[in-house]
């Protein structure tokens, strides 16, 4: 077992003492966890370079992690459920995804008011919510949670190594494009040992940028010359250079394991009976990796999480247990595609890898295995290989998930789909998909809690299936030809891992990824079809295309192309999709269909009654009729 010390820095009332359901008022708790790991212990052996970290006099590797907690003020009114939300780049996400809370990072990471709790779903259920830092390189702004991990050493000095850094201006990287920040300090500013390239598409040949056309500003940034020259938007830049000082990043997995185990089992004041984990996007991939590494057992035979829910994680893991890892990277068709994220095993089912020939699963059948629910948007099927969760890696047959695993497609939604998504195109060609997935996520999270606490199983998995023809190759789909509606070139191909520093991608070895079949309107046929998809007002997709480079998918954005209101409007636009007038006839008929779709989902436990009522109210107020 690890040595764990908890330091409490602040305890104060949340939301001025407002009550939330039967739990009553909540407290905000901030502090620091100090951990010390035995590098020789079996539970710590998966951590890369742990044997190269400095140790204290007891032979332990020390680290620190910030944590933040919201807990009922009266321990006797807690639900007894600890919900650990894995921080996403240091940010708190669960209340944005389950509570419709504001997305402003300054508020989301330091919730103080009732408005910061959104609709109060999580607090209203009496959960104890917990967050902590696991990535020492996460941005420190806006109260984000950090961690302090040791540097890997060789001969008493920080390790050096040649690495590849990739960046893109105008897609993910902030700033004006006048400089680019490096992921690790450069060991030398001598450009003779470095190389800088650029290409428009991921599939293009790299073009060398001459040494006289760029320079190191310092050991953490570069710029083009002459000074003031901007990096081109959307283009893919890569720099190879000698870096130094990698942290022992895999400590992040142990830090989560040991903090949760300590609070659950060794702190009786919290009254914890069950522990659930929630991970969104990067943090969902963290949880998949956490389980694959066997971290759900604390070294004393105790299960850490009873239940795990990942959202929009696709089939990936995180680049966080590697020397010179970069946990913030996420691979798409255009960005970061050649960094470690997608490697076998992908599924909770035990399957064979056609490339390596070995059999494996993320859940190994250990006594510590949790119940797991995995939810994905349409984007993860187009960009992140989500079908590999529930098919064999060749994409030839449906997999049989173990009894403690469920997976769901929230049809027709985009990555991080929640209220407040900007519907404007941004860098994309099509308007973005503002359809929220949060109502489905609330129902699924409640099902996970019931599964763990009472044994009541959740609804059956809802995903595209090969057996019924709803799981198909992306290239086989034909979307309706609507003026101004750009169509995709195909899904992102998921490749077997290669050397991320000097990548040699094998496109011929791509895994067999599939997407959901669509109906005549272009809306997905499989998965959880929320009322916005079951009774649509337009075509909703999980993909979009870059305006500057329309041959590749636009990061993790979707598209929403509304139907015409009337037949005359449709014919004037040469739109083959029936108009609202033609398909529904009247607002009253539309509302009736929404009411029926919502009621069906409630009966299947895929929508909560409160959310069903909200869909009906929104339909009654719809201004499209």
């Amino acid at each position: 077992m690890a040595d764990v010390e908890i330091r409490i820095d602040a305890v104060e009332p949340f939301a001025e003492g407002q009550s939330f359901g039967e739990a009553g008022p909540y407290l905000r708790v901030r502090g620091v966890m100090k951990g010390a790991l035995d590098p020789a212990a079996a539970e710590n052996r998966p951590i890369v370079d742990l044997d190269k970290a400095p140790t204290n006099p007891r032979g332990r590797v020390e680290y620190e992690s910030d944590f933040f907690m919201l807990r009922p003020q009266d321990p006797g009114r807690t639900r007894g459920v600890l919900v650990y939300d894995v921080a996403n780049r240091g940010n708190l996400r669960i209340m944005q995804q389950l509570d419709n809370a504001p997305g402003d990072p300054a508020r989301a990471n330091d919730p103080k008011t009732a408005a910061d709790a959104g609709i109060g779903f999580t607090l209203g259920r009496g959960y104890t919510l917990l967050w902590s830092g696991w990535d020492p390189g996460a941005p420190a702004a806006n109260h984000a949670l950090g961690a302090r991990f040791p540097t890997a050493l060789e001969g008493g000095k920080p390790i050096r190594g040649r690495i590849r850094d990739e960046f893109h201006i105008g897609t993910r990287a902030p700033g004006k494009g006048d400089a680019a920040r490096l992921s690790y300090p450069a060991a030398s500013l001598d450009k003779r040992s470095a190389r800088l390239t650029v290409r428009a598409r991921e599939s293009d040949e790299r073009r060398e940028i001459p040494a006289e056309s760029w320079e190191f500003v310092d050991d953490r940034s570069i710029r083009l010359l002459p000074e003031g020259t901007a990096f081109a938007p959307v283009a893919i830049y890569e720099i190879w250079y000698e870096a130094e000082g990698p942290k022992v990043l895999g400590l992040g997995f142990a830090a989560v394991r040991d903090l949760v185990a300590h609070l659950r089992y060794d702190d009786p004041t919290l009254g914890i009976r069950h522990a659930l984990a929630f991970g969104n996007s990067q943090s969902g991939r963290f949880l998949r990796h956490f389980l694959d590494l066997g971290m759900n057992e604390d070294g004393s035979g105790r299960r850490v999480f009873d239940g795990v829910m990942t959202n929009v994680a696709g089939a990936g893991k995180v680049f966080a247990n590697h020397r010179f890892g970069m946990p913030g990277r996420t691979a798409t068709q255009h960005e970061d595609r050649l960094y470690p994220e997608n490697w076998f095993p992908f599924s909770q089912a035990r399957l064979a890898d056609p490339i390596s020939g070995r059999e494996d699963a993320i859940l190994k059948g250990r006594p510590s295995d949790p119940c797991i629910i995995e939810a994905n948007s349409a984007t993860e099927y187009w960009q992140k290989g989500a079908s590999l969760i529930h098919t064999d890696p060749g994409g030839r047959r449906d997999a049989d998930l173990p009894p403690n695993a469920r997976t769901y497609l929230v049809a027709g939604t985009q990555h991080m789909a929640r209220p407040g998504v900007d519907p404007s195109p941004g860098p994309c060609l099509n308007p973005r998909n503002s359809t929220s997935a949060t109502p489905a996520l609330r129902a699924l999270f409640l099902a996970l809690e019931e599964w763990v606490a009472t044994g009541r199983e959740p609804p059956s998995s809802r995903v595209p299936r090969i057996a019924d023809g709803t799981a198909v190759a992306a290239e086989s789909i034909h979307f309706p030809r609507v003026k101004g509606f750009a169509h995709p070139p195909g899904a992102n191909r998921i490749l077997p891992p290669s050397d991320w520093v000097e990548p040699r991608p094998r496109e011929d070895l791509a895994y067999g990824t599939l997407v959901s079949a669509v109906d005549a309107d272009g809306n997905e046929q499989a998965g959880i079809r929320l009322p916005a998809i079951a009774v649509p007002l337009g075509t909703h997709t999980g993909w979009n295309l870059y305006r500057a480079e329309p041959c590749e998918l636009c990061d993790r954005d979707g598209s929403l192309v509304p139907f015409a209101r009337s037949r005359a409007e449709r014919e004037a636009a040469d739109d083959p999709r029936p108009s609202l007038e033609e398909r529904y006839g009247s607002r009253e008929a539309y509302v009736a269909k929404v009411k029926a779709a919502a009621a069906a989902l409630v009966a299947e436990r895929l929508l909560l009654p409160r959310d069903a009522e909200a869909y009906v109210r929104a339909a009654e107020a719809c201004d499209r009729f």
Side-chain angles (χ1 to χ4, degrees), residues 91-408:
N91 298 309
L92 285 54
R93 293 293 192 194
I94 192 169
M95 288 197 289
Q96 295 175 43
Q97 294 302 128
L98 297 186
D99 291 283
N100 299 354
D104 174 28
R107 292 181 61 182
N109 293 340
D110 192 29
K112 293 180 177 178
T113 71
D116 296 333
I119 63 173
F121 170 77
T122 50
L123 299 190
R125 293 197 61 76
Y127 298 143
T128 296
L129 298 182
L130 175 66
W131 300 264
S132 66
W134 59 269
D135 175 8
N142 296 316
H143 306 281
L145 295 167
R148 275 75 62 194
F149 293 170
T151 299
L153 307 176
E154 280 186 342
K157 296 181 179 180
I159 288 175
R160 291 186 173 188
R162 187 171 179 80
I163 71 170
R164 178 178 62 91
D165 221 340
E166 179 181 316
F167 58 94
H168 331 80
I169 304 299
T171 66
R172 299 175 182 170
K176 300 177 294 184
D178 55 342
R181 183 168 175 79
L182 303 175
S183 296
Y184 284 89
S188 169
L189 304 188
D190 186 348
K191 291 188 291 184
R192 290 177 296 179
S193 62
R195 175 192 179 202
L196 181 65
T197 68
V198 64
R199 65 195 194 278
R201 304 175 187 82
E202 198 281 326
S203 58
D204 288 348
E205 292 291 327
R206 296 175 174 86
R207 178 174 62 83
E208 300 285 335
I209 297 178
E212 61 270 19
S213 297
W214 68 277
E215 68 178 0
F216 286 101
V217 178
D218 50 39
D219 68 347
R220 291 304 298 266
S221 59
I222 64 170
R223 64 187 172 201
L224 296 178
L225 296 175
E227 186 177 344
T229 303
F231 291 101
V234 184
I236 303 169
Y237 289 89
E238 292 167 291
I239 180 172
W240 286 259
Y241 66 101
E242 191 79 5
E244 69 175 358
K247 302 291 185 182
V248 183
L249 293 176
L251 278 168
F253 298 100
V256 170
R257 175 195 67 194
D258 296 337
L259 174 63
V260 174
H262 175 81
L263 294 178
R264 177 177 182 179
Y265 294 109
D266 302 329
D267 186 348
T269 65
L270 292 175
I272 302 301
R273 295 188 300 274
H274 300 290
L276 307 179
F278 179 82
N280 195 64
S281 190
Q282 179 213 38
S283 48
R285 291 186 285 115
F286 174 96
L287 286 171
R288 288 171 52 80
H289 202 162
F290 179 92
L291 296 174
D292 190 40
L293 290 172
M295 292 285 171
N296 206 45
E297 194 269 315
D298 75 340
S300 298
R302 304 183 301 188
R303 180 189 291 128
V304 179
F305 296 114
D306 300 308
V308 168
M309 180 171 171
T310 70
N311 179 46
V312 296
K317 305 182 184 77
V318 281
F319 187 16
N321 193 32
H322 304 72
R323 183 176 294 179
F324 289 108
M326 304 173 195
R329 295 208 178 272
T330 183
T332 55
Q333 191 179 71
H334 184 78
E335 298 93 346
D336 294 349
R337 185 168 182 252
L338 303 179
Y339 284 96
E341 176 174 327
N342 300 293
W343 64 86
F344 185 82
F346 304 107
S347 178
Q348 311 304 336
R350 187 171 183 83
L351 298 165
D353 179 14
I355 296 173
S356 67
R358 70 185 181 96
E359 291 188 2
D360 204 353
I362 291 177
L363 295 181
K364 318 291 186 187
R366 305 180 179 101
S368 61
D369 282 352
C371 296
I372 182 168
I373 284 178
E374 299 197 80
N376 282 288
S377 76
T379 302
E380 283 69 57
Y381 281 80
W382 283 84
Q383 284 278 34
K384 312 292 272 184
S387 65
L388 296 172
I389 298 171
H390 53 83
T391 70
D392 77 286
R396 295 180 298 272
R397 62 178 178 85
D398 299 313
D400 294 322
L401 296 180
N404 57 332
R406 298 287 191 279
T407 184
Y408 306 89

Side-chain angles (χ1 to χ4, degrees), residues 566-618:
S566 65
R567 178 175 179 175
E569 182 181 313
R570 175 181 70 79
E571 290 177 344
D574 195 23
D575 187 339
R577 304 168 302 165
S579 67
L580 299 179
E581 174 187 73
E582 293 169 295
R583 68 178 65 224
Y584 301 122
S586 67
R587 178 195 303 275
E588 291 73 22
Y590 167 68
V591 171
K593 288 180 178 293
V594 168
K595 187 177 295 186
L601 290 169
V602 170
E604 295 168 316
R605 297 171 57 223
L606 296 170
L607 189 67
L608 303 181
R610 176 179 174 178
D611 287 317
E613 293 167 3
Y615 275 114
V616 174
R617 290 195 302 271

Side-chain angles (χ1 to χ4, degrees), residues 413-431:
T413 58
Q414 72 172 38
H415 187 80
M416 300 281 278
R418 58 183 178 81
V421 170
D422 182 2
S424 67
C428 310
L429 276 170
N430 300 324

Side-chain angles (χ1 to χ4, degrees), residues 13 267 461 546 554:
D267 186 348
S461 296
Y546 277 117
C554 186

